[in-house]
Amino acid sequence: MAAEETNPFAALLNEPEGQSGFNQELLERILLFTLRISGVYSTSGRALISMADTIVTTDDTSTVSEELLAHAIFERLMLQNPQEHLVASSTSVADDDAALETRVICYLHRAFITCEQTKNELPEQKEACERIRKLILTNASTCTRQPELFTNQSLSTQWLSVLEQSDPSDVTTQEFFVQTVIKVMAEDDQLEALGALKAIFYPMLAEVQKQLTNVNLITIKKLTFWTLGYFVHDKRVPQLGEVLIDYTTPNPNAKGSEYMDTLLGQLLCLSIMPRKSNGPFEFFADISLENQHSDPSLWQLMAIHQDAVFALVKQLLVLSPTTKKKTLQWIANCLHANTSRGHLWSNINLPFEQVINQNASDSFMIGLTAVLLRLCTPLCEPTMKVLLVDPTYCAVTDEDRQAKQVSMLKATEETCLLPTDENETRLVAEKFNFVTEIFYMTHKAFELGYAACIERYTRMTRELHNLQTAYHDVAQSHPNNALAKNLLRMLKEQMQQYLCMRNGLMEPSNDTHILKFFEASAIWLTEIAMVTKEEFQVATTKEDFAPHTLKQRRIPDKCEFVPPYLKSVPENVIDNVVAYLSFSRHFPPGQFIELYHSSHDALFKMIVLFMGSAELVKNPHLRAKLAEALEFLLPKKISGSIRNSFITHVFDNNVDRLKVVPSLLNVFVSIEMTGQSVQFEQKFNYRRPMYAIMEYLWSKEEHVQCFKNLAIEAEQNMEAIEPPLFLRFINLLINDAIFLLDESLSNLEQIRQLQEAQARGEWNALSQNDRQQQLSSLHQLGMRARIDNILGRDTINILKLLTIEIKSIFCHNSMVDRIAAMLNYFLLNLVGPQKERFKVKDKKEFEFDPAQTVLEICRIYINLSTSEQFCLAVSQDGRSYSSQLFSYAENILVRIGGGQLIGEITDFAAKVLRMEVQYREEQEFLADAPEEFLDPIMSTLMTDPVILPSSKVTVDRSTIARHLLSDQTDPFNRAPLTMDKVQPNNELKQEIEMWIAEKRNSANAPKS
């Protein structure tokens, strides 16, 4: 025992019986030292260290015992100055350096490599080489476990040198490294051995991390990943993977930004974007303001780097159950620590420094998402393991996480497609597989990474446009003044930041992975949403709710069964798809979604299914966003997009294409019916893509027929408990048109007044502050007028298209007065004596095109002109109609080239006038109707009086029907009300009919 304490290598001295000694020349070749005492050495010409003075030998034979060799190796490692023992020198300086090597790991590494080479070159020495190899590894293990024996040496630095300088094509170094670690683990308690490995390799990994702090995609060392690969490539030593993942794991309560400071975080941060949120920006410094730059070489470097990080993480996941669990937990903890990145709206008022210190950077989150997307490759076509994803993952409580094999933290707090009732216990599967974990983690990473960056990119685009406008305005008149130069400097800085963000988000390899992952997600969503009640019951029995097989069912007309586990599917699965498709508008023509036609059907089906179904998605805003995503799939150029016409056939060939119209109208009306306060601008931003889709669908006969079928169904169910979908839709269209055009005209009138005051020089007398305030008011009014005009134009256009084929429902007594009054009001304002009030400078700037609006309104008149009820309603509009109205319109049409429309409007005006005269004559003898015969809301004679059940007030059926389209309450006491609850007032109806009959008889009786 005392001997072992003196010499830690003493255990090696017990040579097994029956083994022969080692050839001296073999030892000199491998170990570069000699034990000969005669002064006669190898004739090979290699440099040698003499150990004869250190090791006492009894003879000068050509063989050495294993006991003696073990002692000799130990003493060689302990030599402080080998130069003093150099007895043979080589002609090669490198050979001399090898013999004189004092770094113990480097010496043993070279000896191991030479031993392996000798074993191959001298087959007869194979058994001896194996024994020498074992001694080398035992010494390497002891050095690693007891580095304190070598007081002036850094074994961490030596191991790094060995790994960095190895040839990637040579596996011998890998074997030396692995076998040493195997020996360490075999010779000590597992925990102590792991501690010993960390003591050596943590400083080494720290040096690798330090090297990464000042590199970028271009300057990163090629062998960095090769060095780290030694820790994860061999399943014989999973402990090395544990060392790596433990080293790169921060404390459990670390902030999101602290993950960037880990070794893995440093790798994830390398991107085209800056590694930190506030820069520095390293690429696109030399740019012109005219071109939208992209750099394929940078894209290639980014893809290669992210592939390498993915390979490293994947090896950690497959190395052992322990490294897999720890790696998944690293990702889960990182996502949880960065949750506030997904709440950009809540960070707006925080200081910028606080936000960036709290969260990881954009580049880090994009890098993490890129790795996760690559891990999701098996979930996508063709293997489609996404069908193994269980939809109840986010129902697992923190208490059950370990038992259910769930890594993500606070998954239960995700906002899901359907709400959970208070105290309700959600369904949970028995356990969750790796595929399920990685699916939800990837969606969360996309939400916190790409989705947040897309929002920031959109803001940057807007700010850059404003800055460009400001610069060009100044540069045109004063290109060399200080303001212009300052604006140019700011513009170049912002352009560089914008291009770094743009190119980081648009890297083609990542976009390919994103699209394939979202295609798989869309298929999964449709499969889980359309299960039958029987299939759900079987899944409940098994406690396994994953789809498993692809059913490819058709979208039903109505959801017969809604699976309860939709209360556990997070909204971000759909929201991410929407964000990506919306962002894809900014892609250059031909990139990238057009390349993958297989994804079109999957995305189309998912969008149509969920967009129109409040049973499957409670949040109307999310369903409205799906309409925006659907607009991306239109095979046409989109307003605000730089892409060319999109090539797809889903609107012509997809088996569920005829579900688009009802789905679209459902989401259209849901924005108004939410009971929530939907801000005006937000509501109409949702409507804009819907109008674009409707206009496109109107070019397809089978989709037009869908609109017509819904109109027929609505006419047949005008008094149903639930107002028919198409009736609610056109009611909202009219509401929108009235509001938008009214607002637009009001804003334009104010703009004209401000412009005139400015032109008269009235602003010159104002203070600088007041002048700035007037300019700001003008700008704000202009922006609002522009939005109103664009959306108002789109709304009128849809009304024009609808009335080409669908007429009678617009002329129904609950609708006809409103559409007639709306058309009259706007026509009078645009062509009547007061039209000059809206004449502003630069009409194009405000998207104000009164001539086009007049043409559209006149076409709607003509489309509905065959209905006598419509013509009568036009004539009875006391607010805007006069016999001169259409004369004003004809004058304008002549001026703007109305063509055939001029004659049609003339004929229509004559018909309206005839109806007016006829109606006036009839109304003259009904003018003195009793008060109880008049509708209390409209003050008109009732023809079909009904009693409201709650307030007991009698109103005309058409009046209350129109009211209930927008507000399903009693207008007199706000009690809930539907049309089936109103009661006919037959007695009053008979009285009114008798009174009218008497009046007619009196009017027709011959005068005496």
Side-chain angles (χ1 to χ4, degrees), residues 919-936:
Y919 183 77
R920 192 188 308 131
E921 290 173 354
E922 185 170 324
Q923 288 299 305
E924 281 178 359
F925 63 80
L926 300 177
D928 58 344
E931 186 72 25
E932 62 270 23
F933 290 1
L934 300 179
D935 182 283

Side-chain angles (χ1 to χ4, degrees), residues 952-991:
K952 304 302 181 184
V953 175
T954 297
V955 297
D956 195 69
R957 184 181 296 273
S958 64
T959 301
I960 194 62
R962 185 162 58 241
H963 168 79
L964 291 178
L965 286 175
S966 302
D967 185 356
Q968 293 195 308
T969 62
D970 186 319
F972 297 96
N973 64 5
R974 313 304 296 163
L977 178 63
T978 52
M979 275 304 292
D980 64 310
K981 297 290 192 298
V982 302
Q983 301 153 6
N985 192 335
N986 293 325
E987 183 179 345
L988 180 59
K989 184 177 181 180
Q990 286 180 356
E991 288 181 29

Side-chain angles (χ1 to χ4, degrees), residues 597-650:
H597 289 285
S598 64
S599 64
H600 298 182
D601 283 311
L603 293 169
F604 179 83
K605 183 174 184 179
M606 184 275 287
I607 290 168
V608 172
L609 173 64
F610 286 92
M611 178 176 71
S613 177
E615 294 85 6
L616 300 178
V617 180
K618 180 70 173 176
N619 184 351
H621 302 282
L622 183 57
R623 289 191 285 122
K625 288 181 183 178
L626 281 167
E628 193 174 350
L630 183 61
E631 186 198 14
F632 180 86
L633 293 176
L634 292 180
K636 55 175 252 184
K637 192 168 177 66
I638 298 178
S639 173
S641 171
I642 64 171
R643 73 173 195 185
N644 292 331
S645 182
F646 185 63
I647 300 171
T648 188
H649 302 290
V650 289

Side-chain angles (χ1 to χ4, degrees), residues 633-748:
L633 293 176
L634 292 180
K636 55 175 252 184
K637 192 168 177 66
I638 298 178
S639 173
S641 171
I642 64 171
R643 73 173 195 185
N644 292 331
S645 182
F646 185 63
I647 300 171
T648 188
H649 302 290
V650 289
F651 290 93
D652 296 313
N653 300 337
N654 187 279
V655 294
D656 293 303
R657 65 190 179 279
L658 298 185
K659 298 292 191 297
V660 172
V661 172
S663 180
L664 190 61
L665 299 197
N666 261 309
V667 71
F668 188 98
V669 301
S670 72
I671 294 302
E672 192 73 28
M673 293 293 196
T674 61
Q676 302 171 16
S677 174
V678 182
Q679 288 190 351
F680 160 74
E681 191 172 339
Q682 184 184 37
K683 183 175 91 169
F684 286 106
N685 280 340
Y686 289 155
R687 294 274 167 88
R688 183 201 52 75
M690 298 179 198
Y691 290 145
I693 298 166
M694 289 179 204
E695 183 176 19
Y696 173 75
L697 293 175
W698 205 259
S699 68
K700 304 286 182 181
E701 182 54 43
E702 59 182 350
H703 292 295
V704 172
Q705 190 58 49
C706 288
F707 280 103
K708 291 163 76 172
N709 292 343
L710 287 171
I712 293 167
E713 181 189 345
E715 284 196 79
Q716 293 169 348
N717 298 278
M718 292 295 279
E719 296 187 7
I721 299 175
E722 175 79 13
L725 175 62
F726 194 80
L727 185 62
R728 283 183 287 151
F729 164 60
I730 61 172
N731 181 61
L732 289 179
L733 265 186
I734 294 170
N735 286 350
D736 288 356
I738 292 170
F739 180 85
L740 286 164
L741 291 174
D742 214 17
E743 280 286 296
S744 166
L745 294 177
S746 172
N747 289 330
L748 289 168

Side-chain angles (χ1 to χ4, degrees), residues 809-842:
I809 194 166
F810 287 98
C811 301
H812 188 272
N813 59 7
S814 65
M815 195 65 62
V816 69
D817 290 339
R818 295 186 63 236
I819 192 165
M822 177 198 78
L823 294 172
N824 289 349
Y825 174 71
F826 291 118
L827 187 64
L828 177 63
N829 276 288
L830 293 171
V831 303
Q834 302 297 315
K835 64 179 182 295
E836 295 299 317
R837 289 184 301 157
F838 316 113
K839 190 173 183 179
V840 295
K841 296 176 186 175
D842 304 318

Side-chain angles (χ1 to χ4, degrees), residues 691 694-695 729 733 794-802:
Y691 290 145
M694 289 179 204
E695 183 176 19
F729 164 60
L733 265 186
D794 290 346
T795 309
I796 291 292
N797 179 51
I798 295 302
L799 281 169
K800 178 202 71 178
L801 293 175
L802 290 172

